Amino acid sequence: MTGPETVVEVDGTVVAVPEGASLLAAVRAAGIELPSLCSDDRLSPAGSCRTCLVRADGRVAAACVTPAAPGARVETATDDLRRLRRDAVEVIVSALPSRALTTGNRSELARVCRSLDIGQEAARGAGGRGGDDSHPYVHLDRDLCIACGRCVRMCAEVQGTFALTLVGRGADTQVAPGTGGPWAESDCVACGGCVDTCPTGAIAEPGPGRGLTSAHRPSATRTTCGYCGVGCALDVVTRDGEVTAVLPARDGPVNQGHACVKGRFAHGYLTSPERLTRPLLRRDGRLEPASWDQAIGEVARGLRAAVAAGGPDAVAAISSARATNEENYLVQKFMRVVVGTNNVDNCSRLCHSPSAAGLTASFGLSGGTDTFDDVERSDCLLVVGANPVEAHPVVGARLLRRVLHGAGLVVADPRAVGLALHADVHLRPRPGTNVALFHGLAHVLLAEDLIDEEFLRERATGLTELAALLDDYPPDRVADITGVPATDLVAAARLYGRARRPAILYGLGVTEHLHGTDGVRSLANLAILRGAVGTDRGHGVMPLRGQNNVQGASDMGALPDVLPGYGRVTDPAVRSRAEAVWGVPVPERPGLRIPGMFAAARAGELRALWVIGEDVCATDPDANQVTRALDTCPLVICDELFLSETARHADIVLPAASWLEKDGTFVNFDRRFQRVRPAVPPPGGTRADFAIVHAVASAMGTALGCATPAEALAECGRVAPVFAGLTHGRLDREGAVPWPCPDPGRPGEAKLYEERFATADGRAHLAAPPYLPPGEQPDDDYPLLLVTGRRWAHYNSGSMTRRGGNLTLDPVDFLDLHPGDALRYAVDDGVPVTVESRHGRARLIARISEQTAPGQVFCAIHFPGSGVNRLTSHHADTVTSCPEYKVTAVRVSGQPRRGTTATGQWE
Ligand code: FES
């Protein structure tokens, strides 16, 4: 325990609890369980059920709402207290129908009744209030509601959605969606918080997971979520080799007992009949089933032939931000050791490669500077180009919680994303103008002396150059470039500049631009100017990672220019350290990036491409050109769960295991290594990528060593000293450990740069890139700007979330457009529209919304069938080749309703 304590005596036992803790916490610290039907540690106390009565210094009190006073003497076990608590529970139970206490009922209430010897006959309610089973994941049985309000508080205080309320009066009080209609049409985002806290089963997950909660679960497998990069710890309950329920871990270091609709519920894809369970080989133009021996043999033969024909650099691999660290380590080792090329990349190229380049240049390391826990200590959050409420819901909820507790909030995003509704200032820059916006904020910080001069003098470089550049970015000029009113810009800069401990969080709205790396660097400037990085005067700069292991895939060296731990392949000392471990020379020349791989394939220079767990035909920009590259490349190998668009264009398809079936580790967005454990066995016929890579290496005559994922991580630590302190055993003991972690006996560094920055001179580097316009601008032919992104119920290409209840929650691929634009282009709400860019065409359903700014349209990336990535351009960050997904000039035209299916999708 850290911080001040309060010491009390509970039934003769002396216990210490944190200052301000309740008597209920003290009683529990003494190892005594009390009924507490309206209480949940994650929530503010309500004190409404009176089931937790104790006597404190002679007075009977509800333990959950009574603070533990120093020296208090607490009694829990006297006959009168037992009787009072039992009476309170009996009163509650008497209003419920008998099914509330059926034998084997797993609810908290049923367990409390069993402990108090209250039988089913005590439940004498008539029932008849009915239920609501409109939602795929959350069912309501009104008869079982005891109006404890836990679900309402969970939705408001933890999730920040405020979708639920209590309605009715007296004994008729019950929970209901705040919108009044069916649950499925409410504001519920299916985080599962209400299901998890409900003590009676009134709100429950349908199916075999019914009644399971994180507080009272049967034995489960602890793993790390394989959806976004938040890194939620999950407990997976299984029966007969199938997942029964996925519960948020109360002690999860990031999620703290919370989850979202994806991690919590979207596991139906595991048993989808569309799951690939046999390798496929292309014969006579068709993909046909084959044995693993045949498939691995063909892969080995094909790769050998490609090397023989074009040399090692005629082979390339796209590793996977969905795969484990150990798999990524093995893939890059395979390419460098077995094939002899640095042609390996991963999808961070398409999302956060500008973060890696920008943060490394500014601070020295490729990763967020602080831990997300610092959000709880921050008094001002600057959230830029991110929609965490939808894309990283658990982070979004924690941010919102902090704001509701008083932190200032500046949101910079062209769209009115969820957090913007709670912002003190919402800046809505035109897409592609970030660098000017950040320079405008920096201009105000300098002009109003909101900078940390001592920090700049002692720990930073580049102020003179930046100050000279910022002369050209006064608020009025920035307003002209960005469309952000100068008064808003000044207000935002003052909020950030005057905060005691500000923090910056950002997403792909900063990186996926023609000048994405400049964006990252000019955003990092703000933290440096303010002395808010590497000090206790702020919480730095944190990129919100999109995929579960996009940080780890890069950390492991699945990149063409760096080895594990980010040592450059061009550095002889870095190569020789790897060569000492691997026993072979490491190629010196940096390899191809993903766009370069496709270009080389189209040019006939790439003879084999291995795509691991990425649907590049769906997710990469200018998708028509990607497809052409795959069709041109003589050998395309694809590891996949389903027959994705990329798999359809492959010559060899290898059925892979998913994250719930694997052993290894992921690294989340704030650099924490966490264990991934197989909760269920992979379906017969599938293999983990780890085993596939080993098998191919073996077939090519090379033993890669590190036979297990644990051995692979240990070996990685010998190649990259920053990971040397990390092992599976340590993670099993400690849960989460951040890197850098060079020493097994010391904690990893959650907060970076407290002594010095990791740059060559130990200083933070201010950058002075001028604002340059994006690759595309609206014109008469293409008058609107398209921004792509994510929606709350789906994930990436949707291959997992479209196979289950999430599709019911969000079945339609919408194009959001402003009412004014809808009027201007004669588009009605709900009608199909054609969207055209200079690169391709897509068809979506129009949704008129003021969330999108005038002159802009927005669509998600989750429905590849709509062809969204046929619209996006070839423009890419000039430093890292990260595509400019966030700025594409388009035009829209309405279409007649006929030709659509019942869900509005085009036939
Ligand atoms: Fe204390 Fe309900 S748990 S009053």
Side-chain angles (χ1 to χ4, degrees), residues 158-377:
V158 174
Q159 171 55 32
T161 297
F162 303 93
L164 302 179
T165 188
L166 290 177
V167 297
R169 307 179 70 170
D172 263 347
T173 306
Q174 57 188 276
V175 65
T179 45
W183 199 290
E185 295 172 19
S186 73
D187 295 333
C188 171
V189 292
C191 67
C194 54
V195 172
D196 201 61
T197 193
C198 180
T200 67
I203 303 175
E205 177 179 356
R210 182 174 191 86
L212 295 173
T213 73
S214 63
H216 304 94
R217 61 176 190 270
S219 64
T221 303
R222 171 66 57 88
T223 193
T224 306
C225 185
Y227 281 104
C228 76
V230 170
C232 293
L234 301 173
D235 290 322
V236 185
V237 184
T238 60
R239 190 169 59 204
D240 301 330
E242 291 198 3
V243 174
T244 305
V246 179
L247 307 171
R250 293 278 182 112
D251 55 351
V254 185
N255 54 318
Q256 303 173 345
H258 199 40
C260 80
V261 64
K262 287 159 272 196
R264 177 73 166 80
F265 295 115
H267 51 79
Y269 71 90
L270 285 173
T271 52
S272 165
E274 296 173 298
R275 190 86 188 262
L276 294 173
T277 54
R278 296 185 68 182
L280 303 173
L281 293 181
R282 189 168 295 283
R283 296 185 179 111
D284 300 325
R286 293 161 51 105
L287 286 171
E288 294 181 351
S291 70
W292 272 103
D293 283 349
Q294 288 171 314
I296 295 294
E298 282 301 306
V299 172
R301 255 189 305 280
L303 294 179
R304 269 197 300 260
V307 173
D313 289 340
V315 177
I318 299 175
S319 197
S320 178
R322 319 297 323 285
T324 62
N325 292 318
E326 294 76 3
E327 289 170 331
N328 278 286
Y329 175 78
L330 209 62
V331 171
Q332 64 82 34
K333 182 178 178 183
F334 172 85
M335 294 303 289
R336 290 172 167 131
V337 168
V338 180
V339 180
T341 179
N342 284 311
N343 283 348
V344 58
D345 205 354
N346 75 81
C347 83
S348 71
R349 180 69 49 210
L350 311 181
C351 56
H352 271 291
S353 52
S355 293
L359 295 175
T360 301
S362 292
F363 304 125
L365 290 176
S366 168
T369 61
D370 289 54
T371 164
F372 185 63
D373 295 337
D374 289 336
V375 163
E376 249 96 65
R377 295 179 276 278

Side-chain angles (χ1 to χ4, degrees), residues 24 35-39 46-52 62-65:
L24 185 60
S36 53
L37 292 174
C38 71
S39 172
S48 61
C49 73
R50 317 308 283 178
T51 60
C52 66
C64 65
V65 286

Side-chain angles (χ1 to χ4, degrees), residues 846-859:
R847 183 165 66 182
I848 298 173
S849 162
E850 296 200 5
Q851 191 181 45
T852 307
Q856 298 168 26
V857 291
F858 173 84
C859 67

Side-chain angles (χ1 to χ4, degrees), residues 758-848:
T759 51
D761 60 6
R763 287 168 167 259
H765 291 191
L766 290 161
Y771 162 71
L772 296 169
E776 298 201 347
Q777 300 274 14
D779 57 22
D780 289 346
D781 291 334
Y782 299 95
L784 298 164
L785 281 182
L786 170 72
V787 177
T788 63
R790 296 184 180 193
R791 299 198 198 277
W792 66 278
H794 288 292
Y795 178 72
N796 211 24
S797 67
S799 63
M800 297 190 293
T801 51
R802 282 185 286 103
R803 290 179 167 92
N806 288 45
L807 187 63
T808 311
L809 295 170
D810 188 3
V812 176
D813 199 4
F814 287 115
L815 179 82
D816 292 348
L817 76 170
H818 189 269
D821 292 320
L823 202 61
R824 184 170 302 114
Y825 301 108
V827 172
D828 290 330
D829 192 55
V831 305
V833 286
T834 299
V835 189
E836 293 173 279
S837 73
R838 291 182 178 83
H839 320 283
R841 167 191 291 214
R843 289 169 172 166
L844 302 104
I845 305 299
R847 183 165 66 182
I848 298 173

